[in-house]
Amino acid sequence: MLQVPSKPAFVDTAVSYERDAAAAVNDIAAQLDTKGACFLLVFVPDGLDPDTIATALNAQFAGVPMFGCTTAGQITPEGYKTDALLVLSFSKAHFRCATHLISPLKPLSIKQVASDVRKLSAQFQRTANWSRLALTFSDGLSKQEDVLVAALQSGLEDMPVFGGSAGNGLNFKETSVLHMGRFHSDAALVILLETDLEFAGLGFDHFLPTGAQMVVTDALPEERLALEINGSPAAEEYARLVGVQVDELSPQVFAENPVLVRNHELYHVRAIQGVQDGGALSFLSAIDTGLLLTLGRGQEILRTLYDELNVKSSLGKPPDFILGFDCFLRKLEIDQKDLTGPASEILRGHRVLGFNTYGEQHCGVHVNQTFVGVAFYEPKKRDLH
């Protein structure tokens, strides 16, 4: 049994379960003192209108930069939630930021995005002894995250990039990102973050490859559609391999039977979004003709979660908080197995705050069914002599 930790020292949090957008923001405003805030991160649940949220935020927090996105769930100080408006306040004492909105996302020029973020980084004045990372939030229905993360990696070079794709519950209708008081669809937000806190990146899933392999024999890459697998209709062949009928395929089946793509010695999940007319499978990551896929087998998800979050600083101390981008398919599997309570206990114990995504960006790759995060620790003491 994990002990409930004290509140993080370096980020303030506010949560509201009000189902009226304006009332939810009023509730948040009553909890947060934004004097000295560098910026707010806002994670909006399905069911609250983003534009109404933005209007109310602008009225309550005039002059405070606000960023964030719509979500497929939130990770609050209490753990997993599906209906919480979550706001994190980052203070000027420990954080500085510069931002760039990429809009529209389609079509996306790798050269232009790389040039824009390179220029942004060069113009962002450095603070002595502070370190930098980048956060990205993107329209989770844009199908552009693979190209986006490659562009950011090219432009920002050695700066680590962590991110999550905006969600829309399980509706897959419209997702958007918040930048400077407005929500934008078909857009991506890049935040260059400078901090005196020590930090470390996290990225993990809970799947191992099986011996079952398949080849995408026909695809529409621009739509992330696999039309055929092993020469048969994609949904039909996938259903055969996992041992169900095509009409039994569901988000729960996809969550528990992912397909993996090998990248050198690592396997990354290419999550399936759903079955399309004609038996095609739509994916949440890049898919192309000739791609070799391996069926994945899950390990114990709670044990993996606990072990991977149990990280320490260079001084051997636990994180003050972990900013987490956790795939909605992981939460779906946890819900399906009635493990939400114990999973939330683990998240609480490790001070994880963030949201459930339609995809995650880490180490220059767009992935699915993965937890990506940044663990922030207390600052290292500087030797003044």
Side-chain angles (χ1 to χ4, degrees), residues 149 153 263 268 270 360-367:
V149 72
Q153 198 70 35
N263 182 10
H268 300 295
R270 288 282 190 271
E360 306 77 53
Q361 293 83 48
H362 180 48
C363 295
V365 181
H366 172 63
V367 295

Side-chain angles (χ1 to χ4, degrees), residues 98-301:
T99 66
H100 176 62
L101 183 71
I102 302 166
S103 178
L105 263 183
K106 295 183 287 186
L108 188 146
S109 163
I110 291 181
K111 183 178 179 180
Q112 185 62 52
V113 170
S115 174
D116 288 345
V117 295
R118 190 179 298 116
K119 187 181 302 181
L120 180 72
S121 179
Q123 293 173 347
F124 186 26
Q125 189 173 349
R126 291 190 173 273
T127 304
N129 298 320
W130 286 34
S131 301
R132 292 186 170 189
L133 67 151
L135 303 177
T136 181
F137 303 93
S138 56
D139 184 329
L141 298 177
S142 66
K143 301 183 175 69
Q144 297 297 299
E145 299 101 320
D146 307 275
V147 183
L148 171 66
V149 72
L152 296 180
Q153 198 70 35
S154 173
L156 296 175
E157 297 178 342
D158 294 335
M159 190 186 303
V161 180
F162 309 93
S165 303
N168 172 217
L170 295 180
N171 298 316
F172 297 99
K173 290 181 179 177
E174 184 175 11
T175 68
S176 54
V177 299
L178 173 64
H179 179 254
M180 292 301 189
R182 285 185 54 215
F183 277 93
H184 307 261
S185 293
D186 189 24
L189 164 68
V190 181
I191 304 174
L192 302 189
L193 198 58
E194 192 173 66
T195 180
D196 68 338
L197 304 184
E198 184 181 348
F199 65 84
L202 304 174
F204 59 88
D205 60 45
H206 61 291
F207 297 105
L208 292 173
T210 67
Q213 293 189 325
M214 58 200 101
V215 177
V216 179
T217 46
D218 193 12
L220 293 175
E222 65 279 5
E223 296 299 324
R224 291 180 177 169
L225 283 178
L227 305 178
E228 290 185 359
I229 291 175
N230 295 341
S232 299
E236 182 181 301
E237 179 67 359
Y238 171 80
R240 183 187 71 81
L241 288 168
V242 300
V244 302
Q245 299 298 311
V246 171
D247 60 7
E248 295 176 309
L249 293 176
S250 67
Q252 287 79 11
V253 172
F254 301 141
E256 294 186 26
N257 301 274
V259 295
L260 313 178
V261 174
R262 186 170 181 173
N263 182 10
H264 301 295
E265 299 305 312
L266 299 176
Y267 283 88
H268 300 295
V269 180
R270 288 282 190 271
I272 300 170
Q273 178 181 336
V275 180
Q276 302 297 307
D277 293 341
L281 289 176
S282 60
F283 281 74
L284 289 165
S285 287
I287 208 77
D288 204 350
T289 302
L291 189 64
L292 179 65
L293 305 173
T294 301
L295 199 62
R297 180 182 70 247
Q299 304 175 82
E300 188 182 347
I301 193 167

